[in-house]
Amino acid sequence: MKHLKTLVLAAIFLFGSTSIMNAQSKVAHINTQELIAAMPDYKAAQAEMEKLGKTYEADIQSMGKEYENKVKQYDAEASAQTQETNQKRMQEVAAMEQNIRQYQSNAQQEMQKKEFDLLKPITEKAKAAIIKVAKAQGFQYVLDSTQGQGVILADGKDLMADVKKELGF
C-alpha cells in the first residue's frame, strides 16, 4: 500500500512538472524592429521620407542662399545708405532669418507627422501577423526582443521566420 501511495504521488508530481513545462513553452519572442525594417512596405516608406526630406532640405538651402545674398548686398551698400534704410534692411534680414527657422521647425514637425502616418499601418500589419502566427502555434505570450525592450534572455521560440512567411517575404 505504501508503494502504491508513493507511485501515485510520483505520477502526480511528474504530471504536474510536465504541465509547468508546457505552460513555460507558451512564450515566444520576436525582434519587432528587425521585422519592420525587413518589410517591403517599410522600405517604400523610408524612400518616401528621404524624398520629402530632400525637398525640405533643398527649400531650406535655397532660402539660406537668398538670405546670404541679401546680407552680402546690404553689407556692400550699407555705407551708401541712410541709417533709416540700413535699419529697415536689418529688420528685413532678421525677418528672413526668422522665416527660415520657422520653416525648418515646421518641416521637422511635418516630417515627424508623415513618418508616424507612414509607419502606423506597417506596425499594425506586423502586429497582426505576429498575433496570427503566435495563436496558430499556440503561444500565449510574445515578447519583443528588440534591444532595450527589457528582454534579458530570448532563448524561446523566435517567430521571425514564421511571421516573415505570413507577411509574404
Side-chain angles (χ1 to χ4, degrees):
M1 191 66 147
K2 226 176 191 184
H3 290 317
L4 184 62
K5 284 183 181 178
T6 306
L7 189 59
V8 169
L9 199 57
I12 291 173
F13 179 72
L14 182 62
F15 178 72
S17 65
T18 304
S19 297
I20 290 172
M21 290 179 82
N22 284 342
Q24 289 176 346
S25 69
K26 299 295 183 189
V27 178
H29 67 89
I30 187 166
N31 184 326
T32 56
Q33 191 174 28
E34 182 183 326
L35 172 68
I36 290 170
M39 293 173 69
D41 295 348
Y42 178 76
K43 292 173 183 171
Q46 225 177 2
E48 190 173 331
M49 287 300 297
E50 285 178 26
K51 182 180 173 185
L52 183 61
K54 286 179 181 179
T55 301
Y56 281 132
E57 188 177 328
D59 290 347
I60 291 169
Q61 285 179 351
S62 174
M63 293 169 78
K65 194 79 162 167
E66 184 182 339
Y67 170 80
E68 288 175 15
N69 290 339
K70 281 270 193 205
V71 169
K72 286 178 185 176
Q73 177 189 351
Y74 288 171
D75 281 347
E77 297 173 354
S79 60
Q81 299 296 323
T82 65
Q83 187 172 353
E84 185 179 312
T85 303
N86 284 336
Q87 191 70 23
K88 286 180 183 178
R89 287 179 168 190
M90 283 176 44
Q91 290 173 350
E92 180 184 343
V93 168
M96 286 179 74
E97 184 177 357
Q98 180 63 32
N99 287 341
I100 293 171
R101 287 186 183 163
Q102 184 64 43
Y103 185 80
Q104 284 175 321
S105 177
N106 290 343
Q108 188 175 17
Q109 289 173 0
E110 286 296 318
M111 291 281 293
Q112 289 173 344
K113 184 182 181 311
K114 184 71 169 180
E115 182 177 34
F116 177 79
D117 291 344
L118 289 173
L119 290 182
K120 186 176 181 188
I122 295 168
T123 56
E124 288 174 354
K125 183 178 180 181
K127 183 179 177 181
I130 291 167
I131 290 170
K132 184 176 180 181
V133 168
K135 284 185 178 186
Q137 294 186 14
F139 291 104
Q140 295 170 325
Y141 299 96
V142 178
L143 303 175
D144 188 351
S145 61
T146 301
Q147 189 171 4
Q149 293 296 320
V151 175
I152 304 300
L153 175 66
D155 202 23
K157 168 80 171 165
D158 186 355
L159 295 179
M160 183 65 73
D162 296 327
V163 173
K164 282 183 175 180
K165 184 179 176 184
E166 173 65 29
L167 290 169
F169 65 95

